[in-house]
């Protein structure tokens, strides 16, 4: 493999960039990200699906950088709410909602629901000479009272199937091995290992 292979990561989130670097650099890739570019506005995530948003971001940055580009989008899909908040997960309680606002709204909307089944779904788009989509899903349920202090977003109310700890109560490493994003990333890494 050519150790100069560069991959662009369409994210300005330092935690995501760190996680991806950790997984891609052992393949001999050099990872560059939106953190290395200033003065470019964030892409508006206005598509109706996770796939649409991931592809929109990946195409935008590929055009800007000329590099094969990875972009992701994640949503929490709750069965009793018809798949909501889904693609609107970041903005469930409004445009400038905090994680806490979103969790509060979710719990309120589920007050009278006995079916608590839910899943996180991550879609990662790779835009290069071809475009490829990767998916990772983590099934679980929404508990009634938040538990744990770690993680972010809906982690305190998400109990992954087969576990007694919420994502917030798990270590980062444990969460990564079973999470939607971890699974999608593992698929990307496998694809690149063969391709590069
Ligand atoms: P993004 O596409 O990764 O920015 O995720 C969109 C929204 O989904 C975030 O703002 C969070 O509210 C939620 N989310 C994404 N991933 C996770 C996770 O691993 N745990 C909890 N919430 C998450």
């Amino acid at each position: 493999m050519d150790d100069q292979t560069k991959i662009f990561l369409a994210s300005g989130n330092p935690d995501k960039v760190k996680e991806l670097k950790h997984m891609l650099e052992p393949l001999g890739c050099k990872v560059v990200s939106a953190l290395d570019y200033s003065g470019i506005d964030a892409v508006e995530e206005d598509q109706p699906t996770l796939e649409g948003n991931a592809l929109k971001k990946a195409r935008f940055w590929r055009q800007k950088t000329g590099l094969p580009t990875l972009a992701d989008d994640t949503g929490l899909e709750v069965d009793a709410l018809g798949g909501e908040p889904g693609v609107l997960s970041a903005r469930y309680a409004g445009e400038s909602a905090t994680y806490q606002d979103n969790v509060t709204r979710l719990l309120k909307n589920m007050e009278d629901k006995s079916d608590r089944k839910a899943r996180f779904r991550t879609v990662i788009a790779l835009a290069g000479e071809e475009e490829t989509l990767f998916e990772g899903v983590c099934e679980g349920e929404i508990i009634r009272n938040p538990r744990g202090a770690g993680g972010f977003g809906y982690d305190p109310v998400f109990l992954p199937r087969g576990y007694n700890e919420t994502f917030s109560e798990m270590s980062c490493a444990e969460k990564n091995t079973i999470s939607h994003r971890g699974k999608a990333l593992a698929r990307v890494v496998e694809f690149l290992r063969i391709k590069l």
Side-chain angles (χ1 to χ4, degrees), residues 16 45 57 72-76 89-90 99 102 120 152-155 167 175 179-181:
K16 278 193 198 171
E45 298 188 27
K57 282 188 279 185
D72 71 335
D73 201 19
T74 295
L76 173 69
S89 292
Y99 290 145
N102 288 331
F120 277 111
F152 70 100
Y154 300 93
D155 279 351
F167 268 167
K175 178 184 167 188
S179 80
H180 42 296
R181 200 166 14 259

Side-chain angles (χ1 to χ4, degrees), residues 94-175:
E95 276 306 320
S96 47
T98 62
Y99 290 145
Q100 179 60 56
D101 296 336
N102 288 331
V103 167
T104 303
R105 166 130 198 244
L106 177 69
L107 292 179
K108 177 113 198 54
N109 289 354
M110 292 193 71
E111 250 168 15
D112 61 343
K113 310 288 185 203
S114 55
D115 176 2
R116 314 289 298 183
K117 280 197 299 303
R119 69 205 52 77
F120 277 111
R121 200 160 70 84
T122 293
V123 173
I124 300 180
L126 171 62
E129 276 161 27
E130 298 159 18
E131 292 179 338
T132 316
L133 290 170
F134 305 86
E135 188 185 66
V137 173
C138 182
E139 297 285 346
E141 64 180 88
I142 304 300
I143 59 170
R144 290 183 183 273
N145 297 302
R147 279 177 11 207
F152 70 100
Y154 300 93
D155 279 351
V157 291
F158 187 79
L159 189 67
R161 185 184 289 165
Y163 292 81
N164 294 318
E165 293 174 309
T166 65
F167 268 167
S168 274
E169 293 173 306
M170 291 181 173
S171 69
C172 224
E174 195 180 357
K175 178 184 167 188

